[in-house]
Amino acid sequence: MSNSLVLVINSGSSSLKFALIDTVVGDAVLSGLGECFGLPEANVSWKYNGEKKEYALSEGNHHQLAVDRIVALVDELGLKDDIVAVGHRVVHGGEKFTSTVKIDDEVLKEIENLSDLAPLHNPAHVIGMRASLAAFPSLSQYAVFDTAFHQTMPAKAFTGAISRKLYEDYGIRRYGFHGTSHYFVSREAAKVLNKPVEESNFISVHLGNGASVCAIKNGKSVDTSMGFTPLAGLMMGTRCGDLDPSIIEFLLKKGWSQEEVFTELNKKSGLLGVSGLTSDCRGIIEAMENGHEGATLAFEIFCYRVAKYIGSYMVALDELDSIIFTAGIGENSQPIRSKILENLKIFGYREDEEGNAAARFGNRGIITKPNTPVAMVIPTNEEWVIANESMALLHA
Ligand code: ADP
């Protein structure tokens, strides 16, 4: 294991996820989560060798205290000296960052400057990075951006049908997110098909609590469904996805505050809003099987919208090697994948029921019948990409 460990940190406003990735084996040696930052119940929990443990954080700067706890933990476990780099997930890299970079003062400043575009994420990332830089002063640390993979989109895909001034003055355009995941699964799918990724074309469908579709031409992102923020595109767990913008003005005129509208569309919409029940796909499927009307409609809309995006991205590609399903729902939910494929029957997709049933709990596989257009499941692994990108730059 020696000298192959990269610590991956995903710092949010009130939480901090971490994983220690062995870049040779590809597995997480240790993974954990700090949560409830800013509250008395702030804690860090982790899993190591199949055992789960939790540690309560005292009062103070919880990002720093959590990172300090991680340092002490890796020391106690005898892993500290094997860590060679730290990789940080960053949601928004704007147009500035098109690939992974080594973190220095200037990079920190740039990420902070992009906070306007990702007010919930970028400031929290910077807090986590500063804590980590203080805790691991001798290690090189890297920023890996969710937006970077999508920087290859052509102007016709990223430019909104609005005045150019809004782009020039405020940077309003499509940026796209989940780039690390779309990047990873497309590379893995090319391996499954035994084709160079530079000659491979995919429609990658990341379905988790957040969800997005990406058209990948010759290995590069050419369009994606999330936009200026991760609110656009597909229906998600609690997010509305695409919506007539006039609805916002309408609600404001009805006396809703800006904050209420924002919360409604981000936190109370999607599967949760339509079902009136839950944002969790498993709960939706279970309720649907018990005849729940809202859950059934939520399921129908979810699958219909994914299929519509896949259909529209046929236009972005000249050829298509495979649809790729990934993330919590995409990797595990046979009924969702089955319905999406059924909605795509005009394109010739035919579900292979056995293959579809087998592709779950981390199993990859083709889920369509032989001699019909291909769809497959590839489990995503964003931490692994972050660790590998960091390792590659460390040795560059
Ligand atoms: P995040 O975007 O938070 O990383 P995940 O990729 O973990 O989300 O996906 C979470 C979603 O995956 C939830 O809607 C959850 O219900 C769904 N999911 C997880 N396991 C299963 C399963 N076995 N069957 C259906 N849905 C599942």
Side-chain angles (χ1 to χ4, degrees):
M1 183 185 301
S2 169
N3 293 338
S4 61
L5 296 184
V6 176
L7 177 64
V8 173
I9 292 183
N10 181 356
S11 171
S13 53
S14 61
S15 69
L16 187 147
K17 284 188 202 156
F18 64 96
L20 201 51
I21 305 293
D22 184 332
T23 50
V24 173
V25 183
D27 285 343
V29 177
L30 163 77
S31 62
L33 170 68
E35 39 184 1
C36 303
F37 291 180
L39 299 173
E41 56 270 33
N43 68 86
V44 178
S45 58
W46 63 87
K47 215 163 90 178
Y48 178 68
N49 267 347
E51 227 186 304
K52 279 187 178 168
K53 290 208 171 144
E54 191 175 312
Y55 176 91
L57 293 175
S58 55
E59 219 174 288
N61 174 342
H62 286 145
H63 284 88
Q64 187 66 58
L65 290 172
V67 176
D68 290 346
R69 180 60 222 156
I70 297 168
V71 178
L73 176 64
V74 292
D75 204 12
E76 285 155 27
L77 298 173
L79 300 167
K80 193 173 172 202
D81 293 340
D82 293 331
I83 302 176
V84 292
V86 183
H88 295 263
R89 178 203 176 206
V90 180
V91 164
H92 220 306
E95 291 184 320
K96 173 82 193 166
F97 296 105
T98 57
S99 60
T100 299
V101 290
K102 185 167 179 199
I103 299 170
D104 57 20
D105 283 346
E106 200 170 316
V107 167
L108 279 174
K109 214 183 301 156
E110 291 283 358
I111 295 173
E112 223 160 20
N113 286 344
L114 289 164
S115 294
D116 216 16
L117 298 177
L120 298 180
H121 294 103
N122 277 29
H125 296 324
V126 172
I127 294 171
M129 285 179 211
R130 289 199 199 283
S132 174
L133 287 165
F136 296 99
S138 60
L139 293 184
S140 294
Q141 310 213 12
Y142 301 91
V144 183
F145 299 89
D146 275 16
T147 45
F149 181 55
H150 301 300
Q151 280 296 304
T152 48
M153 282 190 290
K156 68 179 177 190
F158 74 68
T159 311
I162 50 176
S163 150
R164 294 279 291 161
K165 208 171 149 42
L166 295 179
Y167 170 54
E168 286 154 11
D169 289 356
Y170 303 118
I172 297 178
R173 52 158 281 179
R174 180 185 303 283
Y175 291 97
F177 301 88
H178 290 145
T180 311
S181 177
H182 292 301
Y183 169 86
F184 175 75
V185 297
S186 54
R187 269 67 200 155
E188 293 302 304
K191 285 184 207 163
V192 170
L193 299 178
N194 212 5
K195 275 184 91 166
V197 71
E198 299 76 20
E199 292 167 22
S200 301
N201 301 287
F202 300 112
I203 294 176
S204 164
V205 186
H206 178 114
L207 304 176
N209 284 313
S212 69
V213 188
C214 179
I216 299 169
K217 191 174 189 171
N218 298 326
K220 290 183 177 157
S221 170
V222 289
D223 207 345
T224 191
S225 61
M226 280 179 167
F228 181 58
T229 72
L231 184 58
L234 299 176
M235 175 186 198
M236 307 182 213
T238 62
R239 284 174 245 166
C240 60
D242 292 341
L243 185 82
D244 183 339
S246 301
I247 293 168
I248 296 168
E249 188 207 15
F250 179 86
L251 289 174
L252 291 172
K253 279 190 177 157
K254 286 280 175 198
W256 288 49
S257 71
Q258 209 178 301
E259 180 76 26
E260 283 167 341
V261 175
F262 182 79
T263 304
E264 181 69 27
L265 302 182
N266 273 285
K267 304 236 161 89
K268 298 186 182 174
S269 298
L271 293 174
L272 173 64
V274 176
S275 69
L277 202 63
T278 176
S279 63
D280 191 294
C281 180
R282 284 164 291 201
I284 295 286
I285 305 277
E286 203 182 303
M288 181 176 78
E289 284 166 359
N290 291 324
H292 189 283
E293 204 182 314
T296 307
L297 183 59
F299 173 87
E300 293 285 340
I301 300 172
F302 188 89
C303 298
Y304 178 57
R305 289 198 172 190
V306 173
K308 275 208 297 187
Y309 257 101
I310 293 173
S312 69
Y313 282 174
M314 302 280 179
V315 175
L317 304 175
D318 299 325
E319 288 169 43
L320 178 58
D321 291 299
S322 181
I323 295 171
I324 310 167
F325 288 101
T326 195
I329 299 171
E331 289 169 29
N332 294 298
S333 183
Q334 182 191 1
I336 293 262
R337 295 187 305 240
S338 177
K339 186 70 188 175
I340 293 168
L341 291 177
E342 188 190 317
N343 288 342
L344 291 167
K345 60 179 177 291
I346 190 168
F347 296 107
Y349 287 91
R350 297 291 178 268
E351 175 192 1
D352 172 30
E353 286 175 19
E354 223 168 275
N356 195 13
R360 61 196 305 225
F361 303 142
N363 290 329
R364 60 170 57 178
I366 291 179
I367 60 167
T368 41
K369 286 196 191 302
N371 304 316
T372 65
V374 181
M376 67 172 85
V377 172
I378 302 276
T380 194
N381 195 341
E382 288 157 285
E383 283 88 6
W384 195 81
V385 177
I386 294 171
N388 267 286
E389 293 263 308
S390 302
M391 198 62 140
L393 272 196
L394 179 71
H395 294 302

